[in-house]
């Protein structure tokens, strides 16, 4: 990683660490606003999610960091005040602490373990991807930074990210740039909205379809169809995992 990759972090680090405390009102504020579309009622804020694990064997892709992840990421940077860690270490800790945290992480791990992903990676459980085996995974989002629509977490549907310029560029530029730095990892899109964006990149001949684990449900606790969708796609996902890791050997 070069300093250029962390330009935004160096721009915002001191501002984050000078906050009186980390709260919604202190971080969802004008000083961290990256861009907005008033007509679409969209706002995109900075959060320190720039770290890219170039050694990753697996990439897990969400829609966009939500407010909870945003707060956790700021708290990690805030807590580092006066400790003098370098940017890459701080940003890697942000990913480990903030990615799919809470019940979403629990649901994600449960489904990945049912597919046996941990066995292909030599782990006892995929929960280790979020601690001692974090070197094996790269977590990211279709849209790198937190997006709010009408002041609420953007859910990926309204407006359509592939038909909205302010959002689409993160798919076609940001996400693509990230994936180009990795060595053909297994890509796991979380839910149909993320899969739609990934499939767009496949259709554009940017991503190799053989690397995509299709059919994986979004692990949010609010996804009431999660288990049913998982069971419906389970056999095909098992076949894809086996084929991917056999060809990788």
């Amino acid at each position: 990683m070069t300093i250029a990759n962390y330009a935004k972090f160096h721009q915002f680090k001191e501002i984050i660490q000078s906050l009186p405390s980390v709260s919604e009102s202190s971080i969802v504020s004008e000083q961290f606003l990256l861009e907005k579309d008033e007509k679409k009622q969209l706002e995109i804020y900075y959060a320190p999610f720039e770290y890219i694990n170039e050694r990753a064997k697996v990439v897990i892709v969400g829609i966009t960091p939500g407010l909870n992840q945003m707060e956790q990421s700021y708290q990690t940077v805030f807590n580092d005040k006066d400790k003098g860690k370098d940017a890459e270490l701080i940003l890697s800790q942000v990913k480990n602490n903030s990615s799919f945290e809470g019940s979403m992480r629990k649901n994600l791990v449960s489904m990945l373990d049912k597919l046996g992903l941990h066995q292909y990676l030599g782990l006892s459980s995929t929960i280790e991807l979020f601690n001692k085996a974090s070197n094996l995974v790269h977590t990211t989002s279709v849209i790198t930074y937190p997006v709010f629509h009408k002041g609420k977490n953007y859910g990926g549907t309204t407006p359509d990210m592939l038909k909205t310029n302010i959002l689409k560029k993160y798919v076609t530029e940001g996400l693509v740039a990230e994936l180009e730095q990795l060595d053909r990892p297994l890509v796991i899109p979380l839910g149909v909205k993320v899969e739609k964006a990934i499939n767009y990149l496949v259709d554009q001949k940017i991503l190799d379809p053989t690397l995509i684990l299709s059919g994986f449900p979004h692990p949010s606790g609010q996804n009431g169809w999660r288990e049913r969708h998982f069971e419906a796609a389970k056999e095909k996902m098992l076949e894809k995992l086996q084929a991917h890791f056999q060809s990788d050997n």
Side-chain angles (χ1 to χ4, degrees), residues 59-113:
V59 178
I60 303 175
V61 188
I63 298 171
T64 181
L67 177 60
N68 288 341
Q69 288 174 283
M70 184 181 179
E71 287 183 340
Q72 184 65 57
S73 72
Y74 274 67
Q75 192 66 55
T76 299
V77 176
F78 183 84
N79 291 346
D80 185 69
K81 185 166 49 180
D82 302 323
K83 293 182 181 177
K85 296 175 186 172
D86 68 27
E88 188 155 9
L89 180 56
I90 296 171
L91 290 170
S92 67
Q93 290 177 336
V94 165
K95 282 287 184 84
N96 289 344
N97 293 343
S98 309
S99 296
F100 314 114
E101 50 88 35
S103 62
M104 191 182 301
R105 184 179 293 187
K106 180 181 177 182
N107 294 336
L108 174 62
V109 166
S110 174
M111 290 188 286
L112 290 175
D113 281 358

Side-chain angles (χ1 to χ4, degrees), residues 21-37:
S21 64
V22 174
S23 64
E24 179 177 354
S25 60
S26 68
I27 65 177
V28 184
S29 64
E30 191 72 27
Q31 63 185 336
F32 298 117
L33 181 66
L34 294 179
E35 50 187 329
K36 66 191 298 183
D37 183 329

Side-chain angles (χ1 to χ4, degrees), residues 41-53:
Q41 297 180 280
L42 289 168
E43 295 178 328
I44 301 177
Y45 289 87
Y46 175 74
F49 288 112
E50 293 98 323
Y51 178 73
I52 299 175
N53 177 13

Side-chain angles (χ1 to χ4, degrees), residues 12 90 110-111 115 159 161 168 219:
F12 288 107
I90 296 171
S110 174
M111 290 188 286
L115 293 177
M161 71 177 81
K168 185 178 179 180

Side-chain angles (χ1 to χ4, degrees), residues 88-152:
E88 188 155 9
L89 180 56
I90 296 171
L91 290 170
S92 67
Q93 290 177 336
V94 165
K95 282 287 184 84
N96 289 344
N97 293 343
S98 309
S99 296
F100 314 114
E101 50 88 35
S103 62
M104 191 182 301
R105 184 179 293 187
K106 180 181 177 182
N107 294 336
L108 174 62
V109 166
S110 174
M111 290 188 286
L112 290 175
D113 281 358
K114 286 177 182 176
L115 293 177
L117 176 62
H118 57 296
Q119 295 171 340
Y120 288 109
L121 299 173
L123 307 176
S124 59
S125 167
T126 52
I127 191 63
E128 294 176 26
L129 293 175
F130 299 97
N131 43 70
K132 66 181 182 180
S134 60
N135 62 300
L136 297 176
V137 68
H138 176 57
T139 56
T140 190
S141 302
V142 170
I143 305 169
T144 307
Y145 300 116
V147 181
F148 297 92
H149 179 239
K150 298 182 179 179
K152 304 292 185 182

Side-chain angles (χ1 to χ4, degrees), residues 170-195:
Y170 283 94
V171 181
T172 59
E173 297 174 16
L175 181 61
V176 169
E178 279 191 50
L179 296 178
E180 284 177 344
Q181 296 183 57
L182 308 178
D183 184 20
R184 295 181 59 80
L186 178 73
V187 178
I188 306 177
L190 300 184
V192 293
K193 298 164 191 173
V194 178
E195 192 168 316

